[in-house]
């Protein structure tokens, strides 16, 4: 994202932490090498927009819906960091019995492998000996930086809708809460401080050209719990979009937002506010040198240009 604007929410205690130029993955001392480390140290990127886009295209061409309740078989070939293709076979739409430790479903929902998840595996995941990573180790996938997995979710058999894992508001109430919190955010000292910082950059003629804002992991605005924080983060994204719109009168500043857990209600409300909701991981495909990027809850952020 060289040249893009990166905006994150950071922990105050860790905001000034120095990031080393190269940190060695857990479980490996300085100077040690593995085949994966050797490939990584040679400058081979773990993730590229081309690779992400290719994987998304393969899933789209297979006709797999966001929530797939009809039984389907899916075969994918995914490129590893070593350049070799790995074949993956998945079964979607498979029902499972409700685990005995779960409370009996009151709405007649069934547990079903109905959603796909594209998971990213960073370098410390690929090379770690920690049990959390070793437990799901598969030698065939050792060089894969992206994997596709099936998620078991509770589904209403009559409608095919995923049952939310937390209480949510209806669309009308969610819309009203968002508008209310947006007004609070716009009048807050934090918003004024952020706008003043951005304006200072603009006044110094250092404001980069931005034609879109892409936000990640802002959570569901329809959720009842943590509602104030969640809707404030969405309001913050809108204020960033509005700022660049005011400073780019000849440009339409688009706004994209991605969170895998958005419900249909969230999508409806956010689309009404001018936000285009993208399925994971399509938000990453929108990021370029003219993008303002917002990560919610990020501990640290930095851009590394590896040439």
């Amino acid at each position: 994202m060289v040249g893009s604007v990166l905006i994150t929410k950071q922990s105050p205690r860790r905001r000034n932490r120095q990031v080393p130029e190269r940190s060695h993955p857990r479980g490996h001392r300085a100077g040690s090498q593995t085949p994966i480390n050797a490939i990584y140290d040679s400058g081979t990127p773990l993730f590229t927009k081309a690779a992400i886009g290719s994987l998304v295209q393969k899933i789209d061409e297979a006709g797999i819906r966001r929530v797939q309740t009809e039984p389907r078989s899916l075969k994918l070939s995914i490129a590893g960091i070593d350049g070799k293709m790995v074949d993956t076979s998945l079964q979607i739409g498979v029902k499972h019995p409700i685990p005995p430790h779960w409370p009996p479903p009151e709405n007649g929902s069934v547990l079903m492998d109905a959603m796909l998840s594209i998971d990213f595996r960073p370098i410390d995941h690929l090379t770690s000996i920690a049990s959390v990573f070793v437990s799901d180790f598969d030698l065939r996938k050792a060089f894969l930086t992206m994997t596709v997995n099936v998620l078991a979710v509770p589904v209403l058999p009559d409608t095919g809708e995923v049952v939310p894992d937390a209480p949510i508001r209806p669309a009308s109430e969610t819309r009203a809460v968002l508008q209310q919190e947006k007004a609070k955010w716009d009048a807050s000292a934090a918003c004024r401080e952020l706008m003043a910082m951005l304006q200072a950059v603009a006044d110094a003629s250092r404001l980069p050209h931005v034609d879109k804002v892409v936000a990640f992991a802002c959570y569901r605005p329809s959720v009842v719990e943590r509602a104030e924080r969640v809707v404030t983060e969405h309001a913050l994204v809108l204020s960033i979009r509005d700022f660049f719109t005011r400073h780019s009168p000849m440009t339409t500043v688009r706004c994209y937002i991605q969170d895998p857990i958005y419900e249909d209600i969230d999508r409806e409300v956010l689309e009404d506010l001018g936000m285009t909701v993208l399925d994971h991981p399509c938000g990453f495909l929108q990021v370029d040198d003219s993008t303002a990027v917002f990560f919610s809850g990020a501990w640290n952020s930095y851009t590394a240009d590896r040439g």
Side-chain angles (χ1 to χ4, degrees):
M1 294 185 298
V2 179
S4 61
V5 180
L6 184 60
I7 302 172
T8 70
K9 292 185 64 181
Q10 297 178 320
S11 165
R13 291 181 298 175
R14 302 183 67 175
R15 188 171 295 160
N16 297 321
R17 193 183 78 168
Q18 296 297 315
V19 179
E21 293 184 3
R22 169 70 66 187
S23 58
H24 293 276
R26 288 173 291 177
H28 294 277
R29 298 186 301 274
S32 66
Q33 277 286 17
T34 68
I36 292 176
N37 278 332
I39 295 172
Y40 179 66
D41 290 338
S42 71
T44 301
L46 294 182
F47 311 105
T48 66
K49 291 175 67 174
I52 296 173
S54 175
L55 185 54
V56 170
Q57 182 179 0
K58 290 177 181 178
I59 295 175
D60 289 343
E61 290 176 347
I64 303 299
R65 296 193 296 271
R66 190 172 71 91
V67 180
Q68 180 72 43
T69 56
E70 295 82 10
R72 288 285 304 275
S73 296
L74 177 64
K75 293 185 178 181
L76 297 170
S77 291
I78 307 174
I81 192 176
D82 58 350
K84 298 179 180 179
M85 303 300 294
V86 177
D87 294 331
T88 299
S89 297
L90 300 169
Q91 296 293 325
I92 314 172
V94 178
K95 295 181 181 180
H96 298 281
I98 300 295
H101 59 279
W102 284 23
E106 299 178 357
N107 48 19
S109 62
V110 296
L111 190 63
M112 181 180 295
D113 291 338
M115 301 184 73
L116 292 181
S117 172
I118 298 179
D119 299 325
F120 295 95
R121 306 171 71 204
I123 188 65
D124 60 340
H125 188 155
L126 292 174
T127 59
S128 177
I129 59 174
S131 59
V132 66
F133 298 132
V134 173
S135 61
D136 64 352
F137 179 76
D138 184 340
L139 184 60
R140 296 178 300 109
K141 301 178 182 179
F143 288 85
L144 292 185
T145 60
M146 293 184 293
T147 60
V148 180
N149 300 288
V150 178
L151 297 180
V153 293
V155 175
L156 296 176
D158 295 336
T159 63
E161 297 178 0
V162 176
V163 178
D165 59 358
I168 61 174
R169 296 183 174 88
S172 58
E173 187 175 342
T174 300
R175 191 175 292 107
V177 171
L178 261 172
Q179 292 172 346
Q180 177 182 346
E181 293 301 325
K182 175 70 164 59
K184 288 183 180 179
W185 162 253
D186 289 341
S188 69
C191 180
R192 291 195 298 270
E193 181 181 357
L194 174 61
M195 293 299 107
M197 291 172 57
L198 292 174
Q199 187 60 51
V201 175
D203 292 343
S205 300
R206 296 171 51 200
L207 194 69
H209 171 71
V210 169
D211 60 17
K212 58 179 171 291
V213 176
V214 181
F216 296 90
C218 292
Y219 204 64
R220 294 175 296 202
S222 62
V223 73
V224 174
E225 299 177 357
R226 296 184 292 171
E228 182 176 354
R229 170 188 170 181
V230 171
V231 295
T232 298
E233 289 174 354
H234 287 83
L236 191 159
V237 173
L238 289 171
S239 66
I240 294 171
R241 179 201 63 184
D242 294 344
F243 174 86
F244 284 107
T245 297
R246 291 193 299 270
H247 287 78
S248 306
M250 304 301 293
T251 302
T252 300
V253 179
R254 294 159 292 169
C255 186
Y256 299 97
I257 193 162
Q258 171 188 300
D259 197 314
I261 64 173
Y262 279 143
E263 304 287 349
D264 290 340
I265 288 175
D266 303 309
R267 292 169 175 264
E268 175 187 339
V269 172
L270 295 176
E271 294 278 356
D272 289 345
L273 292 173
M275 294 179 166
T276 300
V277 179
L278 299 176
D279 290 331
H280 170 78
C282 294
F284 299 110
L285 302 180
Q286 293 295 333
V287 177
D288 57 25
D289 289 350
S290 299
T291 306
V293 180
F294 175 80
F295 287 92
S296 174
W299 284 102
N300 283 283
S301 60
Y302 56 95
T303 300
D305 182 6
R306 302 189 61 180

